[in-house]
Short mmCIF file of all heavy atoms in Angstrom, two decimals:
data_model
loop_
_atom_site.label_atom_id
_atom_site.label_comp_id
_atom_site.label_asym_id
_atom_site.label_seq_id
_atom_site.Cartn_x
_atom_site.Cartn_y
_atom_site.Cartn_z
N ASN A 1 -0.82 -3.64 12.50
CA ASN A 1 -1.06 -2.22 12.18
C ASN A 1 -2.55 -1.97 11.94
O ASN A 1 -2.92 -1.17 11.08
CB ASN A 1 -0.25 -1.83 10.95
CG ASN A 1 1.23 -2.10 11.09
OD1 ASN A 1 1.93 -1.39 11.78
ND2 ASN A 1 1.70 -3.16 10.43
N ALA A 2 -3.39 -2.68 12.70
CA ALA A 2 -4.85 -2.65 12.47
C ALA A 2 -5.43 -1.25 12.58
O ALA A 2 -6.42 -0.92 11.92
CB ALA A 2 -5.54 -3.58 13.47
N GLU A 3 -4.80 -0.39 13.41
CA GLU A 3 -5.33 0.97 13.59
C GLU A 3 -5.23 1.80 12.32
O GLU A 3 -5.92 2.81 12.16
CB GLU A 3 -4.60 1.68 14.74
CG GLU A 3 -3.13 1.99 14.48
CD GLU A 3 -2.20 0.81 14.77
OE1 GLU A 3 -2.71 -0.27 15.10
OE2 GLU A 3 -0.97 1.00 14.68
N ASP A 4 -4.36 1.36 11.39
CA ASP A 4 -4.19 2.10 10.13
C ASP A 4 -4.99 1.49 8.98
O ASP A 4 -4.95 2.02 7.85
CB ASP A 4 -2.71 2.14 9.74
CG ASP A 4 -1.86 2.88 10.75
OD1 ASP A 4 -2.33 3.92 11.25
OD2 ASP A 4 -0.75 2.41 11.06
N LEU A 5 -5.70 0.40 9.22
CA LEU A 5 -6.40 -0.29 8.13
C LEU A 5 -7.52 0.56 7.55
O LEU A 5 -7.62 0.71 6.32
CB LEU A 5 -6.96 -1.63 8.63
CG LEU A 5 -7.74 -2.45 7.59
CD1 LEU A 5 -6.85 -2.77 6.39
CD2 LEU A 5 -8.27 -3.74 8.20
N LEU A 6 -8.36 1.12 8.38
CA LEU A 6 -9.50 1.90 7.88
C LEU A 6 -9.03 3.12 7.11
O LEU A 6 -9.56 3.42 6.03
CB LEU A 6 -10.40 2.33 9.05
CG LEU A 6 -11.69 3.06 8.67
CD1 LEU A 6 -12.54 2.18 7.76
CD2 LEU A 6 -12.48 3.46 9.92
N SER A 7 -8.02 3.81 7.63
CA SER A 7 -7.51 4.99 6.93
C SER A 7 -6.87 4.61 5.59
O SER A 7 -6.96 5.35 4.62
CB SER A 7 -6.50 5.73 7.81
OG SER A 7 -5.40 4.89 8.12
N SER A 8 -6.25 3.43 5.54
CA SER A 8 -5.65 2.96 4.29
C SER A 8 -6.71 2.66 3.25
O SER A 8 -6.55 2.99 2.06
CB SER A 8 -4.81 1.70 4.55
OG SER A 8 -3.71 1.98 5.39
N LEU A 9 -7.82 2.05 3.68
CA LEU A 9 -8.92 1.75 2.75
C LEU A 9 -9.54 3.03 2.22
O LEU A 9 -9.87 3.14 1.04
CB LEU A 9 -9.97 0.89 3.46
CG LEU A 9 -9.53 -0.53 3.86
CD1 LEU A 9 -10.63 -1.22 4.64
CD2 LEU A 9 -9.16 -1.35 2.63
N LYS A 10 -9.70 4.03 3.11
CA LYS A 10 -10.25 5.32 2.68
C LYS A 10 -9.30 6.00 1.69
O LYS A 10 -9.72 6.61 0.71
CB LYS A 10 -10.46 6.23 3.89
CG LYS A 10 -11.61 5.81 4.80
CD LYS A 10 -11.75 6.77 5.97
CE LYS A 10 -12.91 6.38 6.87
NZ LYS A 10 -13.03 7.28 8.05
N TYR A 11 -8.02 5.86 1.96
CA TYR A 11 -6.99 6.44 1.09
C TYR A 11 -7.06 5.83 -0.30
O TYR A 11 -6.95 6.53 -1.32
CB TYR A 11 -5.63 6.19 1.73
CG TYR A 11 -4.48 6.99 1.15
CD1 TYR A 11 -4.69 8.15 0.42
CD2 TYR A 11 -3.16 6.59 1.37
CE1 TYR A 11 -3.63 8.88 -0.09
CE2 TYR A 11 -2.09 7.30 0.86
CZ TYR A 11 -2.33 8.45 0.13
OH TYR A 11 -1.27 9.17 -0.37
N ILE A 12 -7.27 4.51 -0.37
CA ILE A 12 -7.37 3.81 -1.65
C ILE A 12 -8.53 4.36 -2.48
O ILE A 12 -8.38 4.69 -3.67
CB ILE A 12 -7.55 2.30 -1.43
CG1 ILE A 12 -6.25 1.67 -0.91
CG2 ILE A 12 -7.99 1.60 -2.73
CD1 ILE A 12 -6.39 0.23 -0.48
N VAL A 13 -9.71 4.47 -1.86
CA VAL A 13 -10.90 4.95 -2.58
C VAL A 13 -10.75 6.41 -2.98
O VAL A 13 -11.09 6.81 -4.11
CB VAL A 13 -12.16 4.75 -1.70
CG1 VAL A 13 -13.39 5.32 -2.40
CG2 VAL A 13 -12.37 3.28 -1.39
N LYS A 14 -10.22 7.23 -2.06
CA LYS A 14 -10.05 8.66 -2.35
C LYS A 14 -9.12 8.87 -3.54
O LYS A 14 -9.42 9.64 -4.46
CB LYS A 14 -9.50 9.36 -1.11
CG LYS A 14 -9.26 10.86 -1.32
CD LYS A 14 -8.61 11.48 -0.10
CE LYS A 14 -8.26 12.95 -0.35
NZ LYS A 14 -7.57 13.56 0.80
N GLU A 15 -7.97 8.17 -3.53
CA GLU A 15 -6.98 8.34 -4.59
C GLU A 15 -7.47 7.80 -5.93
O GLU A 15 -7.03 8.24 -6.99
CB GLU A 15 -5.68 7.64 -4.21
CG GLU A 15 -4.90 8.32 -3.10
CD GLU A 15 -4.16 9.55 -3.59
OE1 GLU A 15 -3.39 9.44 -4.56
OE2 GLU A 15 -4.37 10.63 -3.01
N ALA A 16 -8.40 6.83 -5.88
CA ALA A 16 -8.91 6.23 -7.11
C ALA A 16 -9.72 7.22 -7.93
O ALA A 16 -9.83 7.08 -9.16
CB ALA A 16 -9.76 5.00 -6.79
N PHE A 17 -10.31 8.24 -7.26
CA PHE A 17 -11.20 9.17 -7.96
C PHE A 17 -10.71 10.62 -7.89
O PHE A 17 -11.42 11.53 -8.27
CB PHE A 17 -12.61 9.08 -7.39
CG PHE A 17 -13.26 7.74 -7.62
CD1 PHE A 17 -13.28 6.79 -6.61
CD2 PHE A 17 -13.81 7.43 -8.84
CE1 PHE A 17 -13.87 5.55 -6.82
CE2 PHE A 17 -14.41 6.19 -9.07
CZ PHE A 17 -14.43 5.24 -8.05
N THR A 18 -9.49 10.82 -7.40
CA THR A 18 -8.93 12.17 -7.35
C THR A 18 -8.37 12.53 -8.72
O THR A 18 -7.51 11.82 -9.25
CB THR A 18 -7.81 12.27 -6.29
OG1 THR A 18 -8.35 11.92 -5.02
CG2 THR A 18 -7.25 13.68 -6.22
N VAL A 19 -8.87 13.62 -9.29
CA VAL A 19 -8.45 14.00 -10.63
C VAL A 19 -6.97 14.33 -10.65
O VAL A 19 -6.21 13.84 -11.48
CB VAL A 19 -9.27 15.21 -11.14
CG1 VAL A 19 -8.76 15.65 -12.51
CG2 VAL A 19 -10.74 14.86 -11.20
N LYS A 20 -6.52 15.13 -9.71
CA LYS A 20 -5.09 15.43 -9.61
C LYS A 20 -4.73 15.46 -8.14
O LYS A 20 -4.94 16.46 -7.45
CB LYS A 20 -4.74 16.75 -10.28
CG LYS A 20 -3.23 16.97 -10.38
CD LYS A 20 -2.89 18.17 -11.23
CE LYS A 20 -1.36 18.31 -11.35
NZ LYS A 20 -0.99 19.49 -12.20
N ALA A 21 -4.16 14.37 -7.67
CA ALA A 21 -3.86 14.25 -6.25
C ALA A 21 -2.62 15.06 -5.90
O ALA A 21 -1.76 15.31 -6.74
CB ALA A 21 -3.62 12.78 -5.89
N VAL A 22 -2.55 15.47 -4.64
CA VAL A 22 -1.39 16.20 -4.14
C VAL A 22 -0.14 15.34 -4.27
O VAL A 22 0.96 15.82 -4.51
CB VAL A 22 -1.61 16.62 -2.66
CG1 VAL A 22 -0.36 17.33 -2.12
CG2 VAL A 22 -2.83 17.52 -2.54
N SER A 23 -0.33 14.02 -4.12
CA SER A 23 0.80 13.09 -4.19
C SER A 23 1.41 13.01 -5.58
O SER A 23 2.51 12.49 -5.77
CB SER A 23 0.35 11.68 -3.77
OG SER A 23 -0.68 11.23 -4.64
N GLY A 24 0.67 13.52 -6.60
CA GLY A 24 1.20 13.48 -7.95
C GLY A 24 0.69 12.32 -8.76
O GLY A 24 1.06 12.15 -9.91
N TYR A 25 -0.16 11.46 -8.18
CA TYR A 25 -0.67 10.30 -8.90
C TYR A 25 -1.93 10.65 -9.67
O TYR A 25 -1.92 10.84 -10.87
CB TYR A 25 -0.94 9.14 -7.93
CG TYR A 25 0.31 8.62 -7.25
CD1 TYR A 25 0.49 8.75 -5.88
CD2 TYR A 25 1.31 7.99 -7.99
CE1 TYR A 25 1.64 8.27 -5.27
CE2 TYR A 25 2.46 7.52 -7.39
CZ TYR A 25 2.62 7.66 -6.02
OH TYR A 25 3.75 7.18 -5.42
N GLY A 26 -3.04 10.77 -9.01
CA GLY A 26 -4.28 11.11 -9.67
C GLY A 26 -4.99 9.92 -10.27
O GLY A 26 -4.44 8.83 -10.37
N MET A 27 -6.22 10.15 -10.70
CA MET A 27 -7.10 9.08 -11.18
C MET A 27 -6.55 8.39 -12.43
O MET A 27 -6.62 7.18 -12.57
CB MET A 27 -8.49 9.65 -11.45
CG MET A 27 -9.50 8.62 -11.90
SD MET A 27 -11.14 9.36 -12.10
CE MET A 27 -12.04 7.97 -12.78
N ALA A 28 -6.01 9.18 -13.35
CA ALA A 28 -5.53 8.61 -14.62
C ALA A 28 -4.42 7.61 -14.39
O ALA A 28 -4.44 6.49 -14.92
CB ALA A 28 -5.06 9.73 -15.55
N LYS A 29 -3.44 7.98 -13.57
CA LYS A 29 -2.34 7.07 -13.28
C LYS A 29 -2.82 5.86 -12.49
O LYS A 29 -2.39 4.73 -12.73
CB LYS A 29 -1.24 7.79 -12.50
CG LYS A 29 -0.24 8.54 -13.37
CD LYS A 29 0.96 8.97 -12.55
CE LYS A 29 2.05 9.56 -13.43
NZ LYS A 29 3.24 9.94 -12.66
N ALA A 30 -3.70 6.12 -11.52
CA ALA A 30 -4.21 5.02 -10.69
C ALA A 30 -4.92 3.99 -11.55
O ALA A 30 -4.70 2.77 -11.41
CB ALA A 30 -5.16 5.55 -9.62
N ALA A 31 -5.78 4.45 -12.47
CA ALA A 31 -6.52 3.53 -13.34
C ALA A 31 -5.57 2.80 -14.28
O ALA A 31 -5.68 1.58 -14.47
CB ALA A 31 -7.57 4.30 -14.14
N ARG A 32 -4.63 3.52 -14.85
CA ARG A 32 -3.70 2.92 -15.82
C ARG A 32 -2.90 1.78 -15.19
O ARG A 32 -2.86 0.66 -15.71
CB ARG A 32 -2.75 3.98 -16.36
CG ARG A 32 -1.67 3.42 -17.27
CD ARG A 32 -0.62 4.47 -17.59
NE ARG A 32 0.53 3.87 -18.26
CZ ARG A 32 1.67 4.51 -18.51
NH1 ARG A 32 1.79 5.76 -18.13
NH2 ARG A 32 2.66 3.91 -19.11
N TYR A 33 -2.27 2.06 -14.06
CA TYR A 33 -1.40 1.05 -13.46
C TYR A 33 -2.20 -0.03 -12.72
O TYR A 33 -1.78 -1.19 -12.69
CB TYR A 33 -0.40 1.72 -12.51
CG TYR A 33 0.68 2.46 -13.26
CD1 TYR A 33 0.63 3.85 -13.40
CD2 TYR A 33 1.74 1.78 -13.85
CE1 TYR A 33 1.61 4.54 -14.10
CE2 TYR A 33 2.72 2.46 -14.55
CZ TYR A 33 2.65 3.83 -14.68
OH TYR A 33 3.62 4.51 -15.39
N GLY A 34 -3.34 0.35 -12.15
CA GLY A 34 -4.16 -0.65 -11.47
C GLY A 34 -4.76 -1.67 -12.42
O GLY A 34 -4.70 -2.87 -12.20
N ILE A 35 -5.30 -1.17 -13.54
CA ILE A 35 -5.92 -2.06 -14.52
C ILE A 35 -4.86 -2.95 -15.18
O ILE A 35 -5.04 -4.16 -15.32
CB ILE A 35 -6.68 -1.25 -15.60
CG1 ILE A 35 -7.87 -0.53 -14.96
CG2 ILE A 35 -7.16 -2.15 -16.72
CD1 ILE A 35 -8.50 0.52 -15.85
N SER A 36 -3.73 -2.35 -15.55
CA SER A 36 -2.68 -3.14 -16.21
C SER A 36 -2.12 -4.21 -15.27
O SER A 36 -1.84 -5.33 -15.68
CB SER A 36 -1.55 -2.24 -16.71
OG SER A 36 -0.92 -1.58 -15.63
N ARG A 37 -1.98 -3.87 -13.99
CA ARG A 37 -1.48 -4.85 -13.02
C ARG A 37 -2.48 -5.97 -12.82
O ARG A 37 -2.11 -7.14 -12.72
CB ARG A 37 -1.16 -4.16 -11.69
CG ARG A 37 -0.58 -5.07 -10.62
CD ARG A 37 0.57 -5.89 -11.13
NE ARG A 37 1.58 -5.08 -11.78
CZ ARG A 37 2.45 -5.54 -12.66
NH1 ARG A 37 2.42 -6.81 -13.02
NH2 ARG A 37 3.35 -4.74 -13.21
N GLY A 38 -3.77 -5.62 -12.79
CA GLY A 38 -4.80 -6.66 -12.64
C GLY A 38 -4.81 -7.62 -13.81
O GLY A 38 -4.87 -8.84 -13.64
N VAL A 39 -4.73 -7.06 -15.03
CA VAL A 39 -4.71 -7.90 -16.24
C VAL A 39 -3.48 -8.78 -16.28
O VAL A 39 -3.54 -9.97 -16.58
CB VAL A 39 -4.78 -7.01 -17.50
CG1 VAL A 39 -4.52 -7.83 -18.76
CG2 VAL A 39 -6.14 -6.33 -17.60
N PHE A 40 -2.32 -8.19 -15.94
CA PHE A 40 -1.07 -8.97 -15.95
C PHE A 40 -1.12 -10.08 -14.92
O PHE A 40 -0.61 -11.18 -15.16
CB PHE A 40 0.11 -8.05 -15.66
CG PHE A 40 1.44 -8.76 -15.63
CD1 PHE A 40 2.13 -9.01 -16.81
CD2 PHE A 40 1.98 -9.21 -14.45
CE1 PHE A 40 3.35 -9.68 -16.80
CE2 PHE A 40 3.20 -9.88 -14.41
CZ PHE A 40 3.89 -10.11 -15.59
N SER A 41 -1.76 -9.82 -13.79
CA SER A 41 -1.78 -10.79 -12.70
C SER A 41 -2.69 -11.98 -13.00
O SER A 41 -2.28 -13.13 -12.90
CB SER A 41 -2.21 -10.11 -11.40
OG SER A 41 -2.29 -11.04 -10.35
N ASN A 42 -3.95 -11.70 -13.37
CA ASN A 42 -4.89 -12.81 -13.52
C ASN A 42 -5.00 -13.36 -14.94
O ASN A 42 -5.62 -14.40 -15.14
CB ASN A 42 -6.28 -12.39 -13.00
CG ASN A 42 -6.84 -11.18 -13.71
OD1 ASN A 42 -6.96 -11.15 -14.92
ND2 ASN A 42 -7.20 -10.15 -12.94
N GLU A 43 -4.44 -12.65 -15.93
CA GLU A 43 -4.38 -13.13 -17.32
C GLU A 43 -5.75 -13.30 -17.97
O GLU A 43 -5.87 -13.94 -19.02
CB GLU A 43 -3.60 -14.44 -17.41
CG GLU A 43 -2.16 -14.33 -16.93
CD GLU A 43 -1.42 -15.66 -16.90
OE1 GLU A 43 -1.97 -16.66 -17.39
OE2 GLU A 43 -0.30 -15.71 -16.38
N ALA A 44 -6.80 -12.74 -17.37
CA ALA A 44 -8.13 -12.81 -17.99
C ALA A 44 -8.12 -12.01 -19.29
O ALA A 44 -7.78 -10.83 -19.30
CB ALA A 44 -9.19 -12.26 -17.03
N GLY A 45 -8.48 -12.64 -20.37
CA GLY A 45 -8.45 -12.01 -21.67
C GLY A 45 -7.35 -12.56 -22.55
O GLY A 45 -7.41 -12.45 -23.77
N LEU A 46 -6.36 -13.20 -21.92
CA LEU A 46 -5.28 -13.82 -22.70
C LEU A 46 -5.66 -15.21 -23.18
O LEU A 46 -5.09 -15.72 -24.14
CB LEU A 46 -3.99 -13.90 -21.88
CG LEU A 46 -3.42 -12.59 -21.34
CD1 LEU A 46 -2.07 -12.84 -20.67
CD2 LEU A 46 -3.27 -11.57 -22.45
N GLY A 47 -6.59 -15.85 -22.49
CA GLY A 47 -7.07 -17.18 -22.89
C GLY A 47 -6.20 -18.33 -22.43
O GLY A 47 -6.51 -19.49 -22.68
N SER A 48 -5.09 -18.01 -21.75
CA SER A 48 -4.13 -19.05 -21.39
C SER A 48 -4.70 -20.10 -20.43
O SER A 48 -4.50 -21.30 -20.61
CB SER A 48 -2.87 -18.42 -20.78
OG SER A 48 -3.21 -17.50 -19.76
#
């Protein structure tokens, strides 16, 4: 699906900074779930 890769990357950046996206997500939700998923995944800060 290489033809959709560039548009997907643009979509990621656009949605990351959209205050209130048409999709209903927006920057606040994107940051909340993205940051929490990153922390849960790599465990940086837990010391384990």
Side-chain angles (χ1 to χ4, degrees):
N1 304 285
E3 67 276 5
D4 297 320
L5 179 59
L6 185 59
S7 60
S8 295
L9 293 176
K10 289 180 179 178
Y11 194 20
I12 289 172
V13 177
K14 179 185 175 183
E15 289 283 306
F17 295 99
T18 301
V19 177
K20 189 171 183 180
V22 177
S23 61
Y25 295 114
M27 182 176 175
K29 275 192 173 182
R32 174 189 170 189
Y33 287 101
I35 294 168
S36 63
R37 182 50 52 202
V39 170
F40 179 84
S41 177
N42 58 55
E43 300 175 8
L46 301 186
S48 50

